[in-house]
Amino acid sequence: MTSKQPVQNTSNSATAVIPTPTAIKDSPAVERALNRSKLYLLVSWSLLYPEDDEFLDYIQCGEFVEDGRAAVEGLEKVLDGAGGERAKQKLTAMRKLFDQIEKLVASECVNWQLTDLQAEHRRVFSNVITLDCPPYETLFGNDHVFAQSHVMGDIAGFYKAFGVELSKDIHERLDHLSVEFEFMHFLAYKESYSRCHDGADKTQIVVEAQKKFVKNHIGRWVPLFCRMLVKKADSGLFKLVADMTAELMDFEAAFLNVTPQPYSESDYRPATFNAPEGQTYECGAQDQGNELSLLLNETGAQNFMDQKDKDKEDGGPVGTA
């Protein structure tokens, strides 16, 4: 996912894309946004198929765990009661999971070659869309292709509203978990930027978008996906990533004070998605029923989103997926 808003050039290098909170502004709200952004990015990257050694090097050198711990500890320091006791418990659980990942890397992954990581990814996710734990939103709760098209259009509407689009380097759909999580990484980082440079109204737009995307999208299907991934992986790196993702989703629901209606096993009735002939996913972004479009229009934010020339002068966050 690339952004039409220039600023930080985010690539598949977590060390390059994760900012240092104190380098921007010493504000608890800014630090909370930055550390949430970091956690989303770590999970996003870990679930993509490894095309090269970059992610393997990242986990083997210890920086994956180091960055994750720093994000969790940073949130614990500035949480200031946000999300209540539930949010605190989820941070504690994530800290323990990073400890487990560190032990796994030291005992097993340290000697991996790229082919080993790729083989483990194929074992869990296979070479085609596996129905055991498909990382695609539209395969959950949408057993008809038209329902899938509606959901895909709504996702595209969120991306379009914030000027982001799929990178040509990423061979995934709009509804892949890694793409959706990197979009949340982008929104959380954009929130931190907005708190430093924009007014309260513009910041609130970004916060509300995060709440709606968690409540209506990732908060609904990701918990069931994580349970399926734990069962399929059984053990190893992706089992721990699944546990981490589930805890992050619970934390986010508490922190953002939203109550998604998660899918259950009985809701999982996948159908193969095929876009209608002559249509693209983006066509649904113009739908007046798109929740984010309504939100933007109600708050007068659409004009702000269209000011690309001003964004180029001011700078701001950018994400890729």
Side-chain angles (χ1 to χ4, degrees):
M1 180 180 295
T2 58
S3 172
K4 297 176 183 176
Q5 304 175 50
V7 252
Q8 185 190 4
N9 182 19
T10 311
S11 65
N12 276 345
S13 172
T15 55
V17 299
I18 298 175
T20 303
T22 54
I24 294 184
K25 191 175 182 180
D26 186 17
S27 164
V30 172
E31 292 194 29
R32 286 194 293 268
L34 284 171
N35 285 308
R36 289 174 52 241
S37 173
K38 182 186 294 185
L39 289 172
Y40 271 114
L41 186 61
L42 292 178
V43 174
S44 170
W45 197 12
S46 65
L47 290 171
L48 282 175
Y49 181 78
E51 300 282 357
D52 53 40
D53 289 321
E54 193 170 11
F55 180 69
L56 180 60
D57 291 343
Y58 186 49
I59 61 173
Q60 286 180 329
C61 74
E63 290 186 9
F64 179 88
V65 169
E66 183 179 322
D67 285 337
R69 278 186 181 143
V72 170
E73 292 170 2
L75 280 168
E76 288 174 328
K77 291 177 181 177
V78 297
L79 198 57
D80 195 26
E85 188 63 28
R86 179 182 169 195
K88 290 175 58 179
Q89 292 174 354
K90 296 306 171 182
L91 289 177
T92 299
M94 281 190 275
R95 184 156 25 88
K96 293 179 180 178
L97 282 166
F98 277 114
D99 291 342
Q100 294 181 44
I101 292 174
E102 183 178 49
K103 292 178 181 178
L104 177 70
V105 171
S107 63
E108 181 179 332
C109 304
V110 66
N111 295 317
W112 275 6
Q113 301 297 317
L114 176 60
T115 53
D116 298 311
L117 180 57
Q118 291 173 331
E120 179 66 3
H121 193 282
R122 287 194 298 270
R123 179 185 75 84
V124 177
F125 296 105
S126 78
N127 290 322
V128 295
I129 296 178
T130 173
L131 297 184
D132 292 331
C133 54
Y136 300 97
E137 178 178 352
T138 54
L139 295 185
F140 290 80
N142 303 290
D143 56 347
H144 196 284
V145 292
F146 293 108
Q148 293 188 18
S149 297
H150 175 76
V151 173
M152 191 73 83
D154 195 62
I155 296 169
F158 273 89
Y159 297 168
K160 185 178 179 66
F162 286 90
V164 295
E165 58 188 17
L166 279 177
S167 167
K168 295 179 180 179
D169 297 329
I170 299 299
H171 310 294
E172 283 298 350
R173 291 173 5 185
L174 301 179
D175 63 329
H176 190 278
L177 186 146
S178 291
V179 178
E180 293 191 357
F181 266 39
E182 184 151 358
F183 178 61
M184 282 298 296
H185 149 68
F186 171 83
L187 288 182
Y189 184 78
K190 187 173 182 65
E191 177 193 340
S192 71
Y193 177 86
S194 184
R195 290 186 181 279
C196 293
H197 301 284
D198 301 323
D201 290 344
K202 292 179 180 179
T203 299
Q204 189 60 27
I205 290 167
V206 183
V207 172
E208 288 300 318
Q210 293 175 62
K211 290 183 177 183
K212 287 185 175 292
F213 201 72
V214 170
K215 181 178 180 180
N216 298 332
H217 290 283
I218 57 177
R220 297 202 67 193
W221 74 277
V222 172
L224 175 56
F225 164 77
C226 290
R227 294 196 297 273
M228 296 170 72
L229 180 54
V230 166
K231 183 177 180 180
K232 179 68 183 296
D234 186 54
S235 62
L237 178 63
F238 291 111
K239 191 270 183 186
L240 293 177
V241 169
D243 290 334
M244 178 73 65
T245 306
E247 299 295 353
L248 177 58
M249 278 292 85
D250 278 349
F251 170 81
E252 283 290 280
F255 178 82
L256 295 172
N257 193 27
V258 296
T259 307
Q261 296 182 350
Y263 294 124
S264 65
E265 283 75 4
S266 61
D267 295 318
Y268 180 59
R269 301 182 301 275
T272 302
F273 178 83
N274 291 302
E277 185 177 355
Q279 296 187 23
T280 64
Y281 300 146
E282 286 75 15
C283 65
Q286 306 300 329
D287 186 357
Q288 289 301 307
N290 177 270
E291 275 206 70
L292 186 60
S293 295
L294 291 175
L295 171 66
L296 294 172
N297 290 332
E298 288 172 1
T299 58
Q302 193 63 58
N303 290 336
F304 163 65
M305 296 303 175
D306 291 337
Q307 292 178 348
K308 297 174 184 176
D309 291 338
K310 182 178 182 299
D311 288 340
K312 290 180 180 179
E313 296 174 0
D314 294 343
V318 65
T320 65

